[in-house]
Amino acid sequence: MKKIVSIITVIIFLINFIPKVYGMENPPQIVGPTAVLMDFTTGQVLYDKNMNQRMYPASTTKILTAIIAIEKGKLNDVVTVNDDVKNIDGNSIYLVPGEKLTLEQLLYAMLLESANDAAIAVADHIGGSIQGFANLMNEKAKEIGAKDSHFVNPNGLPNTEHYSTPYDMALIARYAMRNATFRKIVSTIHYQIPPTNKFDKPRDLWISNRLIKPTSFHYDGADGVKTGYTIAANQVFVGSATRNGHRLISVIMGDEGTNIWTDTIKLLNYGFNNFDLVNPLEQNSIVTYVDIGKVKFKLPLIAKDSFYYVVPKGQENSIKSSISVDKNINAPVKKGTTLGSINFTFNGKYIGSVPLIADESVYKNYLGTYYNGTKTTVMKDYSTIRSYVELFLGLFIVMISILLWLRKRAKNKFIFIK
């Protein structure tokens, strides 16, 4: 019996050392004509279906409108509604010209209820006019890297000159989701605007994102971002979900009916089930040391930034690194100076690098003593000190010799005169 128990114990022990093998799922079959799945942290594309095809973004346009308003305005700004909010098609909270609301209230109306009149009021307040705000939108899109997009209004109502791509919308959403205020708004299920100077009842706003609110399409970890629909655009959705600190951005454009939700869930499941975000390098961590001077003063080099990369599950250890350091580094060295880099490869392919910077300043005085900025480390170059001693000793001997020679010469001169 003891022998059987021992054998079973050994087998269990060996099983624990068998490496896990992950099989990659096939990419999902998406009904929608265009889609992309992007890693939030790195920007890597994990799934692509016609992601560079121009499409109508519909109300997902409001993602860009909102982040511009957040960056350029203040949440407690009081916005006075203009006449151009009248007769706006689509979703509305029925703003009245002359009505006063805060910018924050309008942002909630725009992102939760997808109110087109709220987007107009925001654009007028921030850009001075619809055209002025559209100019800001196109400038910001280019700054973010969305180079195949063009916007003419803040709400996404149909216009042949108003277009984007799944890839560009993913870039815009990735940028917006870095902002804490934006993240808070797009993950809020319910918000209430109290009565205003023109509207005597509170307005209850409810999120349209079915992945967040309790519906049959609820998705664990969903935390953004925006729905969209027009007849021309069909169903559009930009989604975000986070699990175990790993956030993914999904975009589907031109989908039909509830396919927009099932397709999004397929995309997100594919990303979370098959990929891991790895962090082989933390910002400010010491990577290596370099020797400075003959005394070999040890200067620590730290990572200027963190490094992240998404890999298929089971290949987390396939990222390799190599260090490159500048030659002939001499004091003085200023803290923060770039002195090298650490380069990363994945399965032999270069995937990025991070600069290595001096973690402290290093100085050298005329006696050859090396020390850091806080003088907690001091190293003397005795060869330099010896050289100075030998030089001064040599000069002293020379001076004594000259003095003795002059004295002897003066003495001899005195004898001849006498």
Side-chain angles (χ1 to χ4, degrees):
M1 183 68 180
K2 289 183 179 180
K3 187 175 181 181
I4 294 174
V5 172
S6 298
I7 293 173
I8 294 174
T9 302
V10 171
I11 291 173
I12 293 173
F13 179 80
L14 291 174
I15 288 174
N16 288 332
F17 282 89
I18 297 175
K20 294 181 179 180
V21 178
Y22 296 90
M24 282 284 291
E25 298 176 5
N26 291 325
Q29 297 297 314
I30 299 300
V31 178
T34 66
V36 68
L37 181 68
M38 178 179 289
D39 179 76
F40 170 79
T41 304
T42 66
Q44 289 170 255
V45 172
L46 308 180
Y47 176 92
D48 164 22
K49 182 179 181 181
N50 303 317
M51 69 177 185
N52 293 311
Q53 183 174 322
R54 289 183 179 179
M55 303 288 287
Y56 291 123
S59 284
T60 59
T61 298
K62 297 182 178 90
I63 297 171
L64 182 58
T65 301
I67 194 59
I68 292 173
I70 290 170
E71 291 181 348
K72 291 188 173 293
K74 296 180 180 178
L75 295 180
N76 58 359
D77 284 351
V78 176
V79 179
T80 301
V81 177
N82 293 338
D83 290 341
D84 54 357
V85 299
K86 295 186 294 185
N87 302 318
I88 295 294
D89 292 334
N91 289 5
S92 172
I93 58 168
Y94 306 103
L95 293 173
V96 179
E99 187 173 4
K100 297 181 183 297
L101 299 90
T102 66
L103 180 61
E104 182 178 33
Q105 292 167 345
L106 291 170
L107 287 171
Y108 273 97
M110 187 174 65
L111 292 173
L112 269 59
E113 287 283 351
S114 201
N116 292 326
D117 53 353
I120 293 294
V122 168
D124 286 339
H125 177 72
I126 298 296
S129 66
I130 301 303
Q131 183 58 57
F133 190 78
N135 293 337
L136 294 177
M137 296 176 75
N138 290 313
E139 289 172 6
K140 192 65 180 180
K142 289 181 180 179
E143 177 190 321
I144 293 171
K147 299 178 180 179
D148 201 15
S149 298
H150 188 261
F151 303 93
V152 298
N153 62 58
N155 46 34
L157 288 175
N159 187 301
T160 55
E161 295 301 313
H162 190 98
Y163 54 83
S164 188
T165 67
Y167 179 75
D168 280 4
M169 289 308 303
L171 291 179
I172 292 169
R174 180 181 175 227
Y175 177 87
M177 287 293 286
R178 292 173 183 164
N179 184 283
T181 298
F182 181 89
R183 291 198 304 272
K184 178 184 177 183
I185 295 174
V186 296
S187 60
T188 299
I189 294 177
H190 172 256
Y191 182 85
Q192 187 178 81
I193 300 176
T196 68
N197 63 317
K198 296 283 188 177
F199 203 88
D200 60 1
K201 295 180 180 179
R203 293 175 168 102
D204 284 295
L205 311 176
W206 296 91
I207 194 169
S208 58
N209 186 342
R210 295 193 191 183
L211 297 187
I212 292 179
K213 61 185 182 181
T215 68
S216 59
F217 298 106
H218 178 80
Y219 191 82
D220 288 341
D223 51 16
V225 291
K226 187 71 187 73
T227 57
Y229 173 79
T230 64
I231 294 175
N234 221 326
Q235 297 287 350
V236 184
F237 181 62
V238 178
S240 170
T242 305
R243 290 184 177 177
N244 299 318
H246 186 193
R247 175 178 279 129
L248 299 175
I249 302 291
S250 65
V251 181
I252 299 177
M253 305 179 77
D255 217 335
E256 297 182 359
T258 58
N259 289 332
I260 195 72
W261 306 112
T262 54
D263 279 350
T264 296
I265 290 171
K266 289 178 186 177
L267 277 183
L268 293 173
N269 282 342
Y270 174 71
F272 288 126
N273 291 343
N274 292 279
F275 299 95
D276 276 333
L277 177 67
V278 294
N279 176 207
L281 182 67
E282 287 284 359
Q283 184 181 33
N284 296 326
S285 60
I286 297 177
V287 176
T288 189
Y289 291 82
V290 293
D291 295 333
I292 300 180
K294 295 179 181 179
V295 298
K296 295 186 177 180
F297 186 100
K298 297 290 184 183
L299 172 63
L301 300 187
I302 62 174
K304 185 177 181 180
D305 304 296
S306 296
F307 185 79
Y308 293 88
Y309 198 72
V310 174
V311 299
K313 286 184 180 293
Q315 298 189 40
E316 292 82 1
N317 296 323
S318 297
I319 295 179
K320 307 298 180 184
S321 65
S322 61
I323 297 171
S324 175
V325 177
D326 297 348
K327 296 180 180 179
N328 302 320
I329 301 173
N330 299 307
V333 176
K334 186 178 180 181
K335 181 178 179 179
T337 301
T338 299
L339 298 174
S341 64
I342 177 168
N343 307 301
F344 294 94
T345 59
F346 176 66
N347 289 334
K349 180 183 176 182
Y350 172 80
I351 56 174
S353 64
V354 173
L356 299 180
I357 60 176
D359 189 34
E360 57 188 12
S361 297
V362 180
Y363 304 95
K364 175 187 176 185
N365 65 18
Y366 65 94
L367 290 176
T369 299
Y370 290 78
Y371 56 94
N372 58 6
T374 58
K375 293 190 177 179
T376 54
T377 304
V378 179
M379 298 183 69
K380 295 182 179 181
D381 185 353
Y382 289 101
S383 64
T384 301
I385 297 174
R386 190 183 308 113
S387 298
Y388 278 117
V389 170
E390 291 173 352
L391 175 62
F392 287 128
L393 184 60
L395 290 173
F396 179 75
I397 293 172
V398 170
M399 290 177 63
I400 294 298
S401 299
I402 292 173
L403 288 173
L404 291 174
W405 178 78
L406 290 173
R407 186 176 180 183
K408 182 177 180 181
R409 181 181 179 190
K411 185 177 180 181
N412 290 338
K413 184 177 182 182
F414 177 76
I415 293 173
F416 288 128
I417 292 174
K418 188 177 180 180

